[in-house]
Amino acid sequence: MKLLITGGTGYIGSHTVVELLNLGHTIVIVDNLANSSTEVLSRIETITGKSPTFVHADICDRSALDCLFTEHRFDAVIHFAGLKAVGESNDIPLSYYHNNVSGSITLFEVMASHGVKKLVFSSSATVYGENNCSPLDESMPTSATNPYGQTKLMIENILFDLAKSDADWSIACLRYFNPIGAHQSGLIGENPNGIPNNLLPYVSQVAVGKLPKLQIFGDDYDTQDGTGVRDYIHVVDLALGHVKALEQLDNIDGCQPINLGTGNGTSVLEIVNTFKDISGQDIPYDIVPRRVGDIATVFADASIANNLLGWQAKRDLAMMIEDTWRWQSNNPNGFA
Ligand code: NAD
Ligand code: UDP
């Protein structure tokens, strides 16, 4: 297939591009490099022996997208492009709504005008909000507690309405749980700008000596050891979930939300202790008050992904952390 991958030089996009190239698909990436680097392209080439076409453009730029769809006859689009930092979204909400929501609407309009109506969209478990109990399943009510989450929810709702209005659309809305890990080669991985917000990049930067100490946000939750529990999923399993979704798009009627998670919960302390064992590094930490907006436990019911896509996460926590550590220790400054 010939595929357009928006945000394809980013963390999840680059791992998905690798899997798609390995399967022989033709890939065009569009990315504005707001949170990624062209160095990713040469790393992808080293891993796969193949080069995706790269177009440096913004998904908000209608005429750039129009040119792209005129030049290439795409079979489908995987839409990763977006801003993703929850904290930042509280500070600059208009940028998030513009980039994520307006950018997505522009993309969907250009797709429709060129008759490309197959889409895999990067959604998030954040759309389950604060009021559902894990395991979270796709029938549960959705809500959002910050502008980033609102953008994911708004785009999902736009896609449900779009699919209702025109039966030619086939859309998989993939709700990711907590992607971690890196490609086994150690050549590509997560490369956050500045001080990381998410647990794994923070822990790995402490392990590699870039940050002095982890702060654990609360040890008084109603969980096995009092620290927060999440469903961590290896980024390569996540990438393979996109491959399966793409292969099953013809069997999807309208817009289908699909959880991509392992179905297992892991606490912050389990992550820290496993990281310490695997890396052989000390991970000093302080227990500090809970982070505003955090909930105790989040994990997926992944049965729709299993039944509809024939997909299941295969890589365990040790592998997620080994691969994170290989990436971080080989590339202490990311792609710089
Ligand atoms: P990332 O920041 O590494 O990748 C996103 C890519 O999109 C970047 O390369 C960035 O430069 C690009 N981009 C942003 N705005 C753009 C625009 N207007 N035009 C063109 N390119 C643009 O993030 P990621 O972790 O790979 O996430 C990919 C998608 O998955 C995002 O939509 C994110 O919201 C979603 N998601 C991520 C997580 C996570 O924990 N990483 C969890 C749930 C959902
Ligand atoms: N967490 C933490 N210290 C950090 C970052 C995260 O204790 O520096 C905890 C957080 O409270 C949550 C878990 O780690 O329980 C995962 O947080 P992350 O931000 O990675 O994912 P999210 O909460 O968005 O699912």
Side-chain angles (χ1 to χ4, degrees), residues 114-231:
H114 288 266
V116 181
K117 298 186 178 178
K118 290 187 192 307
L119 173 72
V120 177
F121 170 60
S122 296
S123 189
S124 166
T126 193
V127 301
Y128 290 112
E130 298 179 311
N131 300 322
N132 293 303
C133 281
S134 289
L136 300 171
D137 76 62
E138 293 84 344
S139 69
M140 289 174 167
T142 51
S143 62
T145 53
N146 56 68
Y148 167 71
Q150 288 288 1
T151 68
K152 290 293 166 192
L153 201 50
M154 289 168 92
I155 300 165
E156 281 205 359
N157 287 329
I158 289 166
L159 291 174
F160 290 128
D161 288 341
L162 181 60
K164 257 187 258 162
S165 74
D166 177 352
D168 288 345
W169 281 90
S170 298
I171 303 167
C173 257
L174 303 182
R175 294 178 176 167
Y176 312 156
F177 281 67
N178 290 59
I180 62 168
H183 192 262
Q184 221 185 341
S185 62
L187 287 169
I188 55 173
E190 190 170 11
N191 183 32
N193 270 330
I195 297 189
N197 297 304
N198 294 112
L199 180 65
L200 258 292
Y202 205 107
V203 169
S204 50
Q205 292 197 12
V206 171
V208 86
K210 281 182 79 180
L211 293 169
K213 212 180 232 190
L214 172 71
Q215 296 192 315
I216 295 185
F217 300 138
D219 67 348
D220 56 352
Y221 285 107
D222 184 15
T223 60
Q224 65 263 35
D225 57 25
T227 64
V229 165
R230 296 290 181 273
D231 185 340

Side-chain angles (χ1 to χ4, degrees), residues 84-98:
K84 64 165 184 177
V86 172
E88 184 184 62
S89 79
N90 287 314
D91 299 334
I92 48 168
L94 291 178
S95 301
Y96 271 69
Y97 286 112
H98 176 72

